[in-house]
Amino acid sequence: MTFNPFEPGFADSPYDQYAGIRAQGRAERTAFGTLLLSHYDDCFVLLRLAGTSVDDRNASNVFRYQPPEDITDRMMTGNERRSILGLDPPDHTRLRRLVSSAFTVRRIEQLRGRVRELVAGLLDEVAEAGAGGDPVDLIARYAFPLPFMVISELLGMPEGNRDELRGWSHKMTLSLEPAMDDATARAVVDATEHMVHHVDEAIDWRRRHPADDLLSAMIAAEEDGDRMTAEELQVQVILLYLAGHETTVNLIGNGTLALLCHRDQYERLDADPSLDANAVEELLRYDSPVQLSRRIALTEIEVGGETAQPGEMVMTLLGSANHDAAKWGPTADDLDLGREGANAHLSFGSGIHHCLGAALARLEGAEAIPALVRRFPGMELASDRPAWNGRVVLRGLDALPVSLG
């Protein structure tokens, strides 16, 4: 057993492969030229380990895609735009502090009432779409629109053409995948340029018309005389915009599918509102929207019983860590909405790069998923083959057809 995301059936469920990898040892060197960690404790340690980097320019042991000549310059320009996801201290520390000063837990919590309004309105639309007994695609009707509208309102971004913006963001996140071909590279470059133009226009408007929103707060953010440059602001806004809905779409979609495949837990959530917060943690653990993360050794480090040399990229298989029986016990592969300690999952990463939007994702999940279940207690899958997106890093569904019951 070796890590092979191209294996038939992997997109439907990678967890059997993960179990086989864990059974063989703590670490393996993959065909991608990286060291792979699959056990919870090893992943947790690496994600918090000093002397590591998230800047891919420090990696020497990975294959680097060479784009065709017609987009080389455009890709190089794009690669110079670095978000906090790909920055190390002190740059990461500085930018994260400035973004965090605007993106506060208090600001997120103030959104709860508005999220409930949006949930109620979208559920009405779902009910209307399924009133005649026709299947309803929950991704298109619910899992995507909700986080998209929430992050748009939070940032103060013009909503624009929702389908067009979804297409751009969906293509941009293909750059996170371990393999890329020329057609994908062209799609990523085109989508990025469209998104940059959209965000630049929004920033320019907000500079001239500040309001009580996150974008205005980020423009004004200053600490000890330090402010973000125009390019830094642009890149962090794009990151929040993409991350603010792409991964939450997967949380709602993956979580709903997991419940529909475990009817006892679906009914348990329907009956017990006290489970709402913990249910989201367990759903994040059970089928994580983010399956893979990485660190690059800056010095010689010991991880997973192996030695990583400077420049060596080490991958953490988050989806596997979240199913490690050494951490979660003999029920690691079971869905248990009442699981004690479910929030110890690694779906948001760990350490200084822990997901900045974790509080927002938790809020949206806790409002969206239980409300859906209680509105449609008889909901069932309308297809025995959900349409997975085939992604290795951002695992999610392209469609989830259901009958409302």
Side-chain angles (χ1 to χ4, degrees):
M1 183 71 69
T2 187
F3 179 60
N4 179 13
F6 308 109
E7 182 180 64
F10 181 90
D12 292 340
S13 178
Y15 297 103
D16 287 343
Q17 186 183 116
Y18 293 170
I21 292 170
R22 286 196 307 274
Q24 292 177 163
R26 292 171 58 191
E28 74 160 65
R29 281 189 164 79
T30 72
F32 299 101
T34 61
L35 192 64
L36 180 75
L37 304 180
S38 56
H39 292 249
Y40 182 94
D41 287 347
D42 292 329
C43 291
F44 181 81
V45 167
L46 179 70
L47 292 172
R48 305 175 71 89
L49 188 63
T52 62
S53 169
V54 295
D55 189 336
D56 291 344
R57 293 173 297 185
N58 290 320
S60 60
N61 70 322
V62 293
F63 170 77
R64 297 188 187 279
Y65 168 73
Q66 297 298 320
E69 290 185 4
D70 61 305
I71 61 169
T72 299
D73 290 344
R74 294 160 69 195
M75 284 197 73
M76 288 178 63
T77 301
N79 288 338
E80 292 168 1
R81 299 188 184 100
R82 310 193 72 77
S83 75
I84 54 176
L85 283 182
L87 288 173
D88 300 326
D91 294 331
H92 171 269
T93 308
R94 169 183 162 266
L95 278 175
R96 184 166 179 128
R97 184 173 63 244
L98 287 168
V99 175
S100 297
S101 69
F103 196 58
T104 62
V105 173
R106 178 173 172 271
R107 183 183 290 273
I108 299 305
E109 186 56 37
Q110 288 174 340
L111 280 173
R112 190 175 294 275
R114 178 57 178 152
V115 172
R116 285 179 180 168
E117 289 179 10
L118 292 172
V119 164
L122 287 169
L123 289 177
D124 286 344
E125 293 179 15
V126 168
E128 183 177 352
D134 292 331
V136 178
D137 178 9
L138 281 184
I139 302 301
R141 293 278 186 175
Y142 190 63
F144 169 72
L146 176 65
F148 181 83
M149 289 189 289
V150 170
I151 195 62
S152 295
E153 289 195 15
L154 175 62
L155 277 165
M157 295 283 287
E159 189 165 309
N161 184 313
R162 188 183 298 173
D163 291 337
E164 189 174 55
L165 286 162
R166 184 193 183 190
W168 295 340
S169 64
H170 213 46
K171 288 185 177 73
M172 288 176 70
T173 54
L174 285 168
S175 63
L176 299 173
E177 294 298 290
M180 185 180 293
D181 57 26
D182 291 351
T184 301
R186 287 189 174 93
V188 169
V189 168
D190 286 341
T192 301
E193 290 176 348
H194 283 298
M195 185 65 78
V196 166
H197 179 70
H198 179 74
V199 168
D200 281 348
E201 286 191 333
I203 291 173
D204 183 59
W205 169 258
R206 274 289 169 252
R207 286 191 190 279
R208 291 181 283 115
H209 304 88
D212 184 19
D213 54 45
L214 180 56
L215 185 51
S216 299
M218 289 175 67
I219 291 169
E222 185 170 3
E223 190 164 321
D224 298 327
D226 184 24
R227 301 184 74 163
M228 281 180 273
T229 67
E231 184 175 274
E232 288 170 342
L233 176 64
Q234 175 205 81
V235 175
Q236 309 323 312
V237 171
I238 290 173
L239 170 64
L240 291 176
Y241 199 38
L242 266 62
H245 70 271
E246 279 287 336
T247 52
T248 310
V249 173
N250 294 350
L251 163 59
I252 296 171
N254 297 6
T256 301
L257 176 61
L259 290 168
L260 289 168
C261 292
H262 296 81
R263 202 73 206 179
D264 61 325
Q265 298 301 302
Y266 191 101
E267 294 170 357
R268 185 182 182 188
L269 182 59
D270 180 27
D272 188 356
S274 71
L275 285 173
D276 289 6
N278 200 71
V280 172
E281 305 295 347
E282 174 67 353
L283 292 168
L284 282 162
R285 182 201 72 86
Y286 183 78
D287 198 3
S288 176
V290 181
Q291 292 279 306
L292 203 62
S293 187
R294 88 276 186 243
R295 295 291 186 271
I296 299 152
L298 295 177
T299 61
E300 186 176 286
I301 58 175
E302 297 291 328
V303 287
E306 298 283 346
T307 300
Q309 299 298 326
E312 186 165 5
M313 182 176 286
V314 186
M315 310 299 293
T316 56
L317 202 50
L318 306 179
S320 173
N322 285 342
H323 280 246
D324 184 1
K327 170 65 178 178
W328 307 102
T331 64
D333 290 327
D334 297 341
L335 182 66
D336 175 8
L337 301 187
R339 184 182 299 276
E340 186 175 348
N343 64 351
H345 60 76
L346 296 181
S347 299
F348 292 126
S350 191
I352 63 171
H353 291 281
H354 181 268
C355 176
L356 188 65
L360 178 60
R362 285 180 163 117
L363 185 154
E364 291 182 74
E367 293 297 330
I369 297 174
L372 175 67
V373 167
R374 290 170 195 142
R375 179 69 177 268
F376 306 112
M379 184 168 63
E380 294 182 347
L381 290 172
S383 170
D384 59 1
R385 288 298 305 274
W388 290 100
N389 62 15
R391 303 283 182 96
V392 178
V393 178
L394 298 184
R395 173 174 166 78
L397 293 153
D398 282 336
L400 182 58
V402 298
S403 300
L404 298 181

